[in-house]
Amino acid sequence: MTEGEIPMRYLCLYKPNKPESTPPTQQEIATMGKLIEDMTKAGVLLATEGCQSSAKGARVRLANGKFAVTDGPFTEVKEVVGGFALIQAKSKEGAIEWTKRFLEVAGDGETEIRLLHEMSDFAP
């Protein structure tokens, strides 16, 4: 970020297009480490983590006052989140460009980018 720009925060949810819990190669780890370093130095990356297998997770839903809990694993690959990044960018276009760089390293899949609310969104 350059001085004077007001960054917006985006949550990026990565859904890989490969079997869940496929371990990365050493080369992929090194390449991702370099991208994380670049994003951190650029002031873009706030947090990032990969998710463990959905077999260790659950989905919790509330409908009509009743909770439903579904334990993993979740079989529909396109619905399984493989990891996330919390980034800040000056525009949605900037967030998209960083996400494209991430996908070039992570491989086939998709990333949903969501603008996060700031407290000022709710100011009187």
Side-chain angles (χ1 to χ4, degrees), residues 33-66:
K34 175 70 171 111
L35 177 60
I36 289 170
E37 180 182 327
D38 290 349
M39 292 178 77
T40 301
K41 284 181 181 176
V44 172
L45 186 62
L46 301 174
T48 188
E49 293 291 337
C51 295
Q52 292 194 19
S53 167
S54 67
K56 297 179 180 181
R59 290 187 176 151
V60 181
R61 287 191 172 92
L62 175 64
N64 299 316
K66 295 185 181 182

Side-chain angles (χ1 to χ4, degrees), residues 81-115:
V81 175
F84 78 91
L86 181 59
I87 65 172
Q88 58 184 4
K90 62 182 178 178
S91 65
K92 182 172 78 172
E93 292 74 18
I96 290 169
E97 289 307 311
W98 282 107
T99 299
K100 286 179 179 179
R101 287 187 60 188
F102 166 79
L103 285 170
E104 288 175 340
V105 173
D108 290 350
E110 74 174 20
T111 298
E112 181 177 341
I113 302 170
R114 301 288 302 272
L115 180 62

Side-chain angles (χ1 to χ4, degrees), residues 6 8-9 15 23 36 60 62 70 83 88-90 119:
I6 299 173
M8 295 174 281
R9 295 180 310 140
K15 299 173 186 176
I36 289 170
V60 181
L62 175 64
T70 305
Q88 58 184 4
K90 62 182 178 178
M119 286 305 295

